[in-house]
Amino acid sequence: MNFFESIFPENFRFFSEVVRNSSSSRAYIFWGPDGIGKLSFAKFFARSFLCGTMPPCGFCSQCAFEEHPDVLVVSRKEGDERLKAEYVREAIRFARFQPYSFFKFIIFSEAHLMTQQSFSALLKAIEEPKQYVTYILVTSKIDFIPPTILSRCIRVRFFPKDFNTFVMEKLKGKFQNENFISLVHKIAYFNPSIIDMIESEEEFSKIWEMIESAVAEKPEFKSNFINLVEYYIGQDREKARKFLDFFEVFLLSNIEKLKSSSITFWEKIKRARMMLDTYFINPKFVLTSIIF
Ligand SMILES: [Zn+2]
């Protein structure tokens, strides 16, 4: 059985039909939790459609491409907070040319990060009558997509058939250490995309120690937190952002235990993210502000 067929059986069946009939809709929105493979499925569907069978045969002239010239994935570039309008306009230009094969796919990763201008540009493109283009918006935050766009898309929800097993398998695919796996599993269940974000066990342990020091109320933990920020984050803005992402998932998985203090932390995280976008504010200072 194909991997996608086992975790998203309904979606697999639905898109198999689309491939079989060779008639794709103008626009789809793939929504569901982060880190479960929505974007991979979008690419998989596009390649299947161009091949004519799902999963793709792997031998035909369309499958011969490693990167198919008719499949464009639009995503945020490093350092960008949002999916800028210029990327969307670039994608629309791509849509104007005849396809190399017979059809084109434009996939927007993290579509909820589009700016207002991006959404307006996209809306115009979706409304343009082009018979050979399908737009796929991939998102974990469907509430952020304007209704004018939503109403023009077919909504497809993604949720793994057995979520717990899915998270476990994903972890085991990346790490071996059993203790480590069970530690990460506690929070990855709430957002499996953190598994993709972990670079090494050592890195995660550092971040974990920081989180535990941040939520502990005793003063000695506060000084430990400050030391860790000094030593591990320093001036690194990306590391600071990463810490906030992990911290957020940690809070999500400990709502019961932390009660009202988790709300306070949430607000602090939100503010810290905004401060990190201001280039002259020291990341070390931003993170330290979380515990006071
Ligand atoms: Zn093929």
Side-chain angles (χ1 to χ4, degrees):
M1 193 190 266
N2 178 275
F3 169 73
F4 289 118
E5 191 174 6
S6 64
I7 56 168
F8 307 125
E10 282 95 24
N11 301 342
F12 188 92
R13 232 172 292 136
F14 177 80
F15 285 101
S16 294
E17 275 308 299
V18 173
V19 170
R20 204 184 341 261
N21 300 325
S22 195
S23 72
S24 177
S25 295
R26 171 61 41 81
Y28 297 96
I29 182 153
F30 286 8
W31 66 286
D34 272 322
I36 57 168
K38 299 182 297 297
L39 181 63
S40 307
F41 189 91
K43 292 182 207 163
F44 169 78
F45 160 56
R47 294 303 300 256
S48 300
F49 190 88
L50 294 169
C51 165
T53 52
M54 187 154 158
C57 74
F59 301 106
C60 69
S61 59
Q62 301 304 325
C63 286
F65 292 104
E66 195 170 328
E67 302 276 339
H68 199 289
D70 289 330
V71 180
L72 179 70
V73 178
V74 184
S75 49
R76 198 158 45 112
K77 305 215 163 65
E78 216 181 297
D80 287 345
E81 279 301 301
R82 310 292 297 267
L83 203 57
K84 292 182 190 161
E86 57 185 272
Y87 305 156
V88 177
R89 290 197 196 103
E90 213 173 286
I92 293 165
R93 269 195 296 279
F94 168 83
R96 292 217 177 96
F97 297 103
Q98 287 291 324
Y100 177 85
S101 57
F102 60 98
F103 211 83
K104 281 188 172 187
F105 286 90
I106 300 178
I107 303 167
F108 294 98
S109 162
E110 300 180 289
H112 54 272
L113 293 178
M114 283 192 194
T115 62
Q116 210 47 54
Q117 290 98 311
S118 305
F119 280 127
S120 312
L122 178 66
L123 182 62
K124 252 187 250 151
I126 293 179
E127 285 177 328
E128 235 173 79
K130 282 254 184 302
Q131 293 315 315
Y132 57 81
V133 181
T134 282
Y135 294 92
I136 304 177
L137 281 72
V138 178
T139 181
S140 57
K141 299 182 176 72
I142 196 168
D143 306 346
F144 289 29
I145 311 292
T148 45
I149 302 256
L150 275 183
S151 64
R152 286 163 177 84
C153 297
I154 293 182
R155 292 180 216 193
V156 187
R157 183 174 183 249
F158 282 79
F159 197 83
K161 208 172 105 196
D162 180 349
F163 200 66
N164 207 24
T165 314
F166 169 81
V167 174
M168 219 29 165
E169 293 294 314
K170 189 167 173 167
L171 271 165
K172 284 183 178 158
K174 189 165 175 180
F175 303 105
Q176 276 88 46
N177 181 340
E178 292 285 332
N179 292 335
F180 182 74
I181 289 175
S182 77
L183 176 67
V184 181
H185 184 256
K186 276 185 207 146
I187 67 167
Y189 182 79
F190 290 85
N191 184 348
S193 72
I194 70 154
I195 301 169
D196 304 319
M197 287 164 61
I198 300 172
E199 264 158 35
S200 64
E201 292 185 18
E202 195 199 343
E203 181 203 41
F204 184 79
S205 308
K206 270 279 161 300
I207 294 178
W208 190 258
E209 194 186 344
M210 284 176 70
I211 292 172
E212 286 191 320
S213 309
V215 296
E217 298 199 330
K218 296 196 185 97
E220 63 264 34
F221 282 102
K222 282 198 169 147
S223 60
N224 188 41
F225 181 77
I226 294 167
N227 287 338
L228 285 166
V229 169
E230 175 83 43
Y231 163 78
Y232 181 68
I233 305 286
Q235 307 292 331
D236 195 328
R237 226 162 267 276
E238 283 311 309
K239 266 192 187 169
R241 285 204 179 92
K242 200 167 183 175
F243 169 78
L244 294 175
D245 288 344
F246 278 88
F247 196 16
E248 199 168 50
V249 184
F250 174 87
L251 294 175
L252 210 57
S253 59
N254 284 281
I255 289 180
E256 293 283 301
K257 217 161 76 194
L258 295 165
K259 299 217 169 64
S260 66
S261 73
S262 67
I263 295 171
T264 319
F265 277 125
W266 246 305
E267 278 160 8
K268 285 179 175 173
I269 288 175
K270 213 167 120 192
R271 209 181 52 211
R273 282 216 176 95
M274 269 157 37
M275 288 205 287
L276 279 177
D277 291 341
T278 314
Y279 68 94
F280 54 83
I281 302 180
N282 191 331
K284 217 159 62 182
F285 165 77
V286 174
L287 287 201
T288 311
S289 74
I290 279 185
I291 56 163
F292 293 105

